[in-house]
Amino acid sequence: DAMVIQNPRYQVTQFGKPVTLSCSQTLNHNVMYWYQQKSSQAPKLLFHYYDKDFNNEADTPDNFQSRRPNTSFCFLDIRSPGLGDAAMYLCATSTLIYNEQFFGPGTRLTVL
Amino acid sequence: GDSVTQMEGPVTLSEEAFLTINCTYTATGYPSLFWYVQYPGEGLQLLLKATKADDKGSNKGFEATYRKETTSFHLEKGSVQVSDSAVYFCALRNTGTASKLTFGTGTRLQVTL
């Protein structure tokens, strides 16, 4: 089945230690998104790629970076995680032709 | 800017009760409207959508009608089950915003036997 896959599902890192979360998709969608979702809050868009065109949200901290080496993969890099970065990170995909975004299961990040 | 307002939870219902979760929106233009569901420990799944006024989205017994006159997209189900316990997010996507979704804060539904 076509899907959005996120690895790992749970990630623990130490304060200030760089961490990378990964997302892959078999949907062949043009657009890939990263959202941050803190407990009991709505998902907050960090950035998205349309093909290789990177689009950063104005309020996304510089601490968050992203890479998309090919259509199928997208990475979220947190350069120096703080305690406030502990959250669920959701990857989603879409093609601009449709309105629908398809979400992965998320990676829950814990910062110690 | 665009915004979505949902009723605060948690909503606690007995199995087979009728469900309504209110959602209203503010947006320019003619947005598409969505309901997403998030089961414990999982990502979001699209539950239903409507792309223009008076459209009714439906899936798995859930329904929502796009009401432009009241800027609402309330989620309803005639008879909830314990397995419907989850967090429900209302969202909109406006035209010209490159597929960006604006979410409400979510409403937790708890269904008990």
Side-chain angles (χ1 to χ4, degrees):
Chain A
D1 286 343
M3 58 176 53
V4 181
I5 302 162
Q6 290 188 246
N7 285 309
R9 294 292 307 276
Y10 301 90
Q11 176 74 56
V12 180
T13 190
Q14 293 179 337
F15 183 94
K17 184 175 181 181
V19 66
T20 295
L21 309 182
S22 73
C23 176
S24 62
Q25 55 129 342
T26 60
L27 298 162
N28 203 33
H29 282 173
N30 295 327
V31 192
M32 295 186 78
Y33 310 80
W34 280 104
Y35 290 86
Q36 180 193 62
Q37 185 183 21
K38 295 188 176 180
S39 181
S40 302
Q41 295 184 21
K44 176 182 180 296
L45 182 64
L46 296 173
F47 25 60
H48 75 270
Y49 274 95
Y50 177 49
D51 289 337
K52 286 195 173 290
D53 183 19
F54 178 70
N55 297 272
N56 198 32
E57 293 298 300
D59 56 355
T60 298
D62 292 340
N63 198 27
F64 291 86
Q65 303 287 321
S66 186
R67 295 170 284 135
R68 189 179 184 185
N70 54 52
T71 299
S72 300
F73 286 87
C74 194
F75 300 98
L76 170 62
D77 301 309
I78 308 177
R79 295 192 296 185
S80 182
L83 297 179
D85 297 327
M88 175 78 88
Y89 289 89
L90 299 170
C91 175
T93 73
S94 73
T95 169
L96 286 181
I97 299 173
Y98 304 108
N99 294 331
E100 184 173 346
Q101 290 188 19
F102 295 82
F103 283 81
T107 295
R108 182 165 297 282
L109 178 68
T110 300
V111 182
L112 300 177
Chain B
D2 298 341
S3 66
V4 176
T5 302
Q6 290 182 237
M7 62 189 289
E8 291 211 13
V11 173
T12 302
L13 295 173
S14 298
E15 200 169 46
E16 298 185 359
F18 185 85
L19 168 71
T20 300
I21 300 178
N22 290 337
C23 170
T24 56
Y25 68 90
T26 301
T28 57
Y30 303 93
S32 296
L33 302 174
F34 306 84
W35 277 101
Y36 282 85
V37 58
Q38 187 175 33
Y39 297 103
E42 299 185 12
L44 277 70
Q45 301 174 26
L46 179 65
L47 182 60
L48 53 84
K49 65 180 180 182
T51 57
K52 61 182 187 296
D54 300 325
D55 269 3
K56 177 186 284 188
S58 62
N59 186 26
K60 299 180 182 179
F62 291 88
E63 293 184 342
T65 301
Y66 189 142
R67 302 284 189 201
K68 190 164 179 62
E69 64 276 13
T70 55
T71 62
S72 65
F73 192 55
H74 303 322
L75 182 68
E76 296 181 336
K77 187 176 185 182
S79 176
V80 294
Q81 306 299 311
V82 172
S83 58
D84 294 326
S85 298
V87 180
Y88 292 82
F89 290 92
C90 185
L92 70 82
R93 176 188 176 274
N94 215 333
T95 55
T97 54
S99 298
K100 180 175 178 176
L101 284 173
T102 299
F103 287 93
T105 54
T107 302
R108 181 176 299 278
L109 171 66
Q110 296 174 329
V111 181
T112 59
L113 291 172

